[in-house]
Amino acid sequence: LGLAAAVEAMSEQPLARAIVAAAKADSVTIFPCLDFASQPGRGVTGTVRKRAMWLGSPRAAVEAGVPAEIVQRLTEDFAAAGETPVLVTQDGQYAGAFGLFDSPRKTSAEAITTLKGLGLSAEILSGDHPGAVAAIAADLGLESFHGQLLPEQKAERIIEMTQAGHMVAMVGDGVNDAPGLAAATVGIAMGGGADVAIEAADCALLVDDPRRIVSLIQLARKTRGTIRGNLLWAFSYNVLALPVAAGALAPWTSWSLPASWAAGAMAASSVIVVSNSLRLHRTKL
C-alpha cells in the first residue's frame, strides 16, 4: 500500500487519491517517488526506494507482466463485488491488487432526475470495469452506460453522438476525461478536477456538486432567451426607426425626425436591451 501510494501521490486521478487516502488512514509511510509517468487510461509508473512500480488497469496489466490467468481471476472477483481492479507490479512481477469503487455523490441522483425533467438524457462513460459502472448506473437510475473505455474511446463516443445530430455536454474531472471534454459541444469540468480537465473544458464548476450542472443549464437557457429577446427588439427597432430617420416620410409629410430625437431613441433602445439583460440577476436556479 505504501509503495503504491507513493506513485499515486503524483497522480491527479480520483482513484489514485483513494489509494493515497487509504495509506494515510492506516498511517503507512509514503516514500518519495522518482521518474513518475502517466499513461492515460492504462496506468502509472514510478521508482520508489529503487523499486520499479507500475499500477494500472486489467487491460494493460498483461503488457506490464501480470499473468493473464491472474488478471482474469481478479477481474471476475472484483466485478462480482462491483469494484474496479487496479493491479500492481514491482520490478516487473505481480505484487497485488486493489478493488476500488466510486460512491455516487449524495446529490447525483437528484441532479440526474432534474436533468431528465429538463428534457435531457444522460449516460455514463467510464474507464472503470463494466460491472462497477453498472452498479453506479443502477444507483443513479441510468439505463445507458459504457465501461472500460480508454480516453480516446470516450471522445469517439461523444463524436458519434454529435455526428448523429445531438448537442452533447460532457462532465468530467479526471485526466482521462480531457479528450471527451474537448470533443463535446460543451465541456464542463467539476471543481477540484485535474488541471488538464479544466483546461480542456469550456467552463468549470467551482463546487463539487452535480446540482450546479442543472443551475448552469438553466442559466444558459435563460441567457439564450434574453439574447433572442434583445436581438428581436434591436432588429425591430432599427427596421422601423432607420427609414424614418433617413427621411422616408418626407415625401408625404412635411415632418422629419430631429437628429436629437433620433439620438435619444437610439440611447433608449440601448437602455432597454441592457435592462432586459440585467433581469438575469433575478433568475431562480
Side-chain angles (χ1 to χ4, degrees):
L1 177 59
L3 295 171
V7 181
E8 295 289 26
M10 306 293 291
S11 174
E12 293 183 320
Q13 216 271 349
L15 294 182
R17 298 173 189 169
I19 295 175
V20 175
K24 291 180 178 178
D26 287 351
S27 301
V28 174
T29 301
I30 300 178
F31 295 97
C33 173
L34 304 176
D35 305 321
F36 173 81
S38 175
Q39 302 167 327
R42 292 175 172 82
V44 292
T45 60
T47 302
V48 184
R49 306 194 77 186
K50 298 182 180 180
R51 298 168 182 167
M53 304 297 301
W54 176 89
L55 292 87
S57 66
R59 175 182 291 183
V62 175
E63 299 174 11
V66 181
E69 59 273 15
I70 293 179
V71 174
Q72 182 177 357
R73 176 175 56 81
L74 286 172
T75 300
E76 292 173 352
D77 291 346
F78 283 121
E83 298 174 348
T84 293
V86 174
L87 284 75
V88 185
T89 68
Q90 176 180 307
D91 293 327
Q93 300 297 314
Y94 169 67
F98 299 97
L100 304 178
F101 64 93
D102 276 321
S103 297
R105 291 180 173 89
K106 295 179 180 179
T107 57
S108 294
E110 177 187 345
I112 289 173
T113 300
T114 309
L115 287 171
K116 289 180 178 179
L118 294 176
L120 304 175
S121 60
E123 67 177 54
I124 298 177
L125 303 180
S126 175
D128 295 345
H129 188 274
V133 179
I136 292 289
D139 287 343
L140 298 177
L142 292 174
E143 297 179 357
S144 180
F145 60 88
H146 303 269
Q148 215 161 20
L149 297 181
L150 295 172
E152 55 269 27
Q153 290 174 320
K154 292 182 182 181
E156 288 169 3
R157 170 59 182 160
I158 291 171
I159 293 171
E160 176 186 321
M161 288 189 284
T162 55
Q163 289 178 341
H166 299 290
M167 304 287 281
V168 182
M170 163 75 174
V171 184
D173 63 358
V175 174
N176 296 340
D177 295 324
L181 290 168
T185 311
V186 177
I188 305 171
M190 294 296 291
D195 290 342
V196 66
I198 294 175
E199 284 291 329
D202 298 292
C203 56
L205 303 179
L206 301 183
V207 179
D208 271 332
D209 185 348
R211 292 176 299 182
R212 296 299 178 93
I213 301 168
V214 177
S215 300
L216 177 66
I217 292 172
Q218 288 175 325
L219 183 58
R221 288 181 173 181
K222 286 283 188 180
T223 302
R224 183 179 59 184
T226 299
I227 290 171
R228 287 176 173 173
N230 287 344
L231 286 173
L232 177 63
W233 166 259
F235 277 108
S236 300
Y237 168 83
N238 284 287
V239 166
L240 294 173
L242 283 176
V244 175
L249 299 179
W252 298 280
T253 69
S254 58
W255 180 83
S256 62
L257 184 68
S260 58
W261 287 25
M266 183 57 73
S269 173
S270 297
V271 169
I272 290 172
V273 168
V274 173
S275 299
N276 188 44
S277 300
L278 290 174
R279 291 170 56 242
L280 286 169
H281 282 296
R282 296 204 298 268
T283 301
K284 292 183 179 180
L285 304 176

